[in-house]
Amino acid sequence: MSSVSLKKDGLDEKGEPLSFYQLEEHHHPEGSSTMLGFWMYLMSDCLIFAVLFAAYGVLGSSYAGGPTPKEIFELPLVAVNTAMLLFSSITYGFAMLSMEEGRQRIMQMWLAFTGLFGLCFLSIEMYEFATLIHEGAGPTRSAFLSSFFTLVGTHGLHVTMGFIWLVTLMVQVQKHGLIAANKRRLMCLSMFWHFLDVIWIGVFTFVYLMGSLR
Amino acid sequence: MTDRHATPHDAHAEHAHDDHAHGHAHGHDDHGNDHASHGTRGSYLKGFFLSVLLTAVPFWAVMTGAFKDPSTAALVIMLFAVLQIIVHMIYFLHMNTKSENGWTMMALIFTIILVVITLSGSIWVMYHMNTNMMPMQAAVDM
């Protein structure tokens, strides 16, 4: 404030008004910051999962006299589930390569495979949850099961959202083609999808495999 | 985040002598497509086979009980998980230190620090609290 009042008229040497910040907006091409912004979202999503992992880590051995992980987890089923997610990751990768080459129909085919594997993953997870609840190992049984259902369920909810997003984008591409905006969206979903696979690595390691060791 | 645009001349000092070249390079750097170097069919397949391997080994180890000592087994499968996460980051998410002028890597490092504090802190504190609360809990039960 004082430096301004020292200059009598608020003008610099050239007679231009003094400015202490950039007056003109820097030019940004449309969508130039989308990727970074989406990465920030993924990182904050990562923190949500970190908190759920921490809750599971703390409560994971509070069985309240109920079933233990060893008794209820079926590792072969989890292995199949993991394979589904891995396959969907590679097919999405191939879809991105086809997008780069501008081959829309082949890209749509790979996206359809990705959606199919995602749907398989969700079906298996739903079957697992239904079996657990049927056996009386529902989320209300013990703190271990509450935290288990919250963590794995949140991941499943993310995959469900990813699937809806995938179908939406396939329709968008069908209607408008591989325009820049659609490419950007497909790249965001790519990051989202691979990110969910990364979270799943944590889930099968910390929840299923380490639970079966106890 | 506006910070990274505030001093374009610092970031692109090599172009500062030529205003035209500078403007062009800056605009190009900012383009979102540069973030994802998409990789090739080969790199995707490499990442996929590495992931399959890094998934199959811990599942095999736990399902067959290859390790006699559970804590050794836990350490080994955690190591495999960390390796697989790194593989996914490099081959599928195309992480590197250069994309978006390094800001994605910065955000990742910051997140990893927060995750480590959250996880280790919660488990450490709650473990000690459980241990210390045990006699009182036993007294209530009596």
Side-chain angles (χ1 to χ4, degrees):
Chain A
M1 200 61 203
S2 58
S3 64
V4 178
S5 52
L6 278 174
K7 299 246 178 191
K8 281 177 190 119
D9 42 8
L11 299 176
D12 66 7
E13 295 83 1
K14 290 176 197 157
E16 306 261 328
L18 282 170
S19 61
F20 298 94
Y21 51 89
Q22 275 187 300
L23 290 173
E24 277 167 47
E25 185 89 18
H26 210 75
H27 176 66
H28 298 276
E30 196 196 330
S32 63
S33 51
T34 306
M35 287 300 138
L36 183 60
F38 197 76
W39 184 253
M40 294 293 159
Y41 155 69
L42 287 183
M43 290 298 102
S44 54
D45 215 13
C46 194
L47 293 181
I48 293 181
F49 280 107
V51 173
L52 294 176
F53 271 112
Y56 180 81
V58 168
L59 300 171
S61 48
S62 309
Y63 307 127
T68 61
K70 216 171 190 160
E71 291 164 7
I72 54 170
F73 289 162
E74 285 185 56
L75 285 187
L77 201 66
V78 182
V80 173
N81 230 357
T82 307
M84 289 301 133
L85 221 50
L86 262 181
F87 280 129
S88 79
S89 259
I90 188 74
T91 52
Y92 204 108
F94 287 154
M96 292 307 283
L97 291 174
S98 308
M99 183 192 88
E100 280 304 291
E101 293 160 2
R103 295 153 83 177
Q104 187 179 320
R105 282 186 57 188
I106 295 178
M107 187 201 77
Q108 293 281 56
M109 183 200 76
W110 284 122
L111 286 183
F113 275 123
T114 308
L116 218 60
F117 282 126
L119 216 54
C120 284
F121 172 85
L122 287 172
S123 314
I124 294 172
E125 191 162 284
M126 235 102 88
Y127 165 77
E128 187 199 14
F129 279 8
T131 315
L132 286 180
I133 292 167
H134 184 71
E135 286 171 348
T140 52
R141 181 61 191 84
S142 64
F144 150 61
L145 283 164
S146 304
S147 54
F148 164 78
F149 273 94
T150 313
L151 172 58
V152 182
T154 306
H155 178 270
L157 215 57
H158 275 75
V159 178
T160 312
M161 286 302 159
F163 177 75
I164 295 169
W165 190 2
L166 184 84
V167 174
T168 314
L169 280 188
M170 283 177 75
V171 173
Q172 287 274 341
V173 170
Q174 207 58 48
K175 276 180 91 169
H176 304 291
L178 279 175
I179 53 173
N182 276 343
K183 282 188 176 182
R184 199 164 64 232
R185 290 160 189 155
L186 283 164
M187 257 149 51
C188 282
L189 180 57
S190 164
M191 286 160 80
F192 186 71
W193 201 264
H194 293 310
F195 166 77
L196 289 182
D197 210 0
V198 171
I199 298 293
W200 184 253
I201 298 170
V203 172
F204 79 69
T205 303
F206 288 102
V207 177
Y208 290 103
L209 291 183
M210 285 173 73
S212 301
L213 284 174
R214 273 206 294 265
Chain B
M1 275 312 92
T2 51
D3 243 28
R4 74 196 177 105
H5 298 300
T7 54
H9 286 276
D10 294 341
H12 301 281
E14 70 270 27
H15 293 299
H17 63 277
D18 184 341
D19 268 344
H20 181 71
H22 164 79
H24 179 74
H26 186 73
H28 183 71
D29 272 3
D30 265 5
H31 200 268
N33 286 346
D34 278 345
H35 167 75
S37 49
H38 290 280
T40 59
R41 202 159 291 264
S43 74
Y44 270 112
L45 281 173
K46 204 166 144 194
F48 177 71
F49 284 120
L50 279 174
S51 311
V52 169
L53 193 74
L54 291 169
T55 306
V57 171
F59 267 97
W60 167 81
V62 173
M63 284 162 87
T64 59
F67 292 99
K68 296 281 176 291
D69 180 27
S71 46
T72 316
L75 275 177
V76 170
I77 60 174
M78 267 164 75
L79 182 72
F80 272 90
V82 171
L83 285 178
Q84 200 184 341
I85 287 173
I86 294 171
V87 165
H88 275 243
M89 286 280 175
I90 293 173
Y91 290 103
F92 293 158
L93 283 164
H94 311 296
M95 270 305 288
N96 58 54
T97 51
K98 288 179 201 73
S99 62
E100 303 278 357
N101 293 327
W103 281 107
T104 49
M105 187 53 91
M106 274 302 199
L108 179 67
I109 291 168
F110 178 61
T111 309
I112 290 172
I113 292 171
L114 286 185
V115 168
V116 168
I117 292 172
T118 311
L119 281 176
S120 58
S122 306
I123 292 165
W124 181 42
V125 168
M126 293 308 284
Y127 172 77
H128 282 277
M129 208 169 85
N130 277 343
T131 317
N132 290 333
M133 292 298 277
M134 220 42 110
M136 271 180 80
Q137 196 56 49
V140 170
D141 289 342
M142 278 196 288

